[in-house]
Amino acid sequence: GIMTVEGPLSFDVPPNGTDIDLDIEEIDFEMDDEMLEEVVLFLDLINEFEFGVAVSVYAASDSNFLGTVAEDILFSIEIFPDSTHTDSIFLDNDKIELFNGDILFVKTDVSMLGNKDNVGNPIPSSVLTTDYLNLILYGRFEILVDPTEED
């Protein structure tokens, strides 16, 4: 027969946090920034872990710019342990210009934020097989279809 034993995993997250490495996403599109009127990003985040997370989303027109001063931060947010968060972010004109061109590269940085006791010492966090972090990022684009007619 087969016997399976499952139990919680307990570990310390360093006080300065621990980064989770995610792949760079490539978004293909063709859009003229003069026709793009408004961009709103929507964020739905569910954190089932006993520790908090910090999420930063960066964008650049070239993947080589990510991790340099040439990248642009779209937004940054900290999420508490065992919580959900929904938000919308309106992009200003400087951020909208990032969508000019054929490709946009997006990098999401996620850092685990350790728990501390009332004195400030790190305390262990337990992770169960049912715990998860779910981040959904989507957008709404308002586009001027016929640039010769503004109504």
Side-chain angles (χ1 to χ4, degrees), residues 2-150:
I2 298 174
M3 183 173 94
T4 303
V5 177
E6 293 183 5
L9 170 67
S10 181
F11 60 94
D12 289 327
V13 177
N16 295 338
T18 299
D19 294 335
I20 299 171
D21 190 31
L22 298 173
D23 292 334
I24 294 172
E25 298 291 329
E26 182 178 322
I27 302 170
D28 295 320
F29 57 88
E30 290 186 33
M31 199 171 306
D32 184 354
D33 67 333
E34 293 176 10
M35 294 174 39
L36 190 55
E37 299 287 313
E38 180 180 84
V39 176
V40 182
L41 298 178
F42 298 95
L43 168 72
D44 293 327
L45 199 143
I46 301 171
N47 180 15
E48 292 288 324
F49 292 114
E50 282 188 7
F51 49 83
V53 293
V55 178
S56 297
V57 176
Y58 301 91
S61 58
D62 185 328
S63 64
N64 293 318
F65 292 158
L66 293 168
T68 70
V69 294
E71 72 183 358
D72 279 293
I73 186 163
L74 294 180
F75 69 89
S76 187
I77 190 166
E78 286 189 13
I79 307 299
F80 294 108
D82 296 315
S83 66
T84 61
H85 185 82
T86 301
D87 206 347
S88 58
I89 298 107
F90 289 83
L91 300 185
D92 61 22
N93 287 337
D94 290 338
K95 304 294 186 215
I96 289 175
E97 287 181 17
L98 290 169
F99 294 86
N100 184 22
D102 298 333
I103 297 175
L104 181 67
F105 295 92
V106 178
K107 172 89 171 100
T108 304
D109 287 341
V110 178
S111 295
M112 298 185 297
L113 305 175
N115 292 318
K116 298 175 185 167
D117 62 17
N118 55 2
V119 183
N121 299 316
I123 57 175
S125 296
S126 295
V127 177
L128 304 174
T129 57
T130 56
D131 290 344
Y132 63 93
L133 175 68
N134 188 18
L135 171 66
I136 299 172
L137 181 65
Y138 55 100
R140 182 184 78 214
F141 298 83
E142 186 177 312
I143 300 170
L144 184 60
V145 176
D146 186 355
T148 60
E149 294 180 21
E150 283 194 50

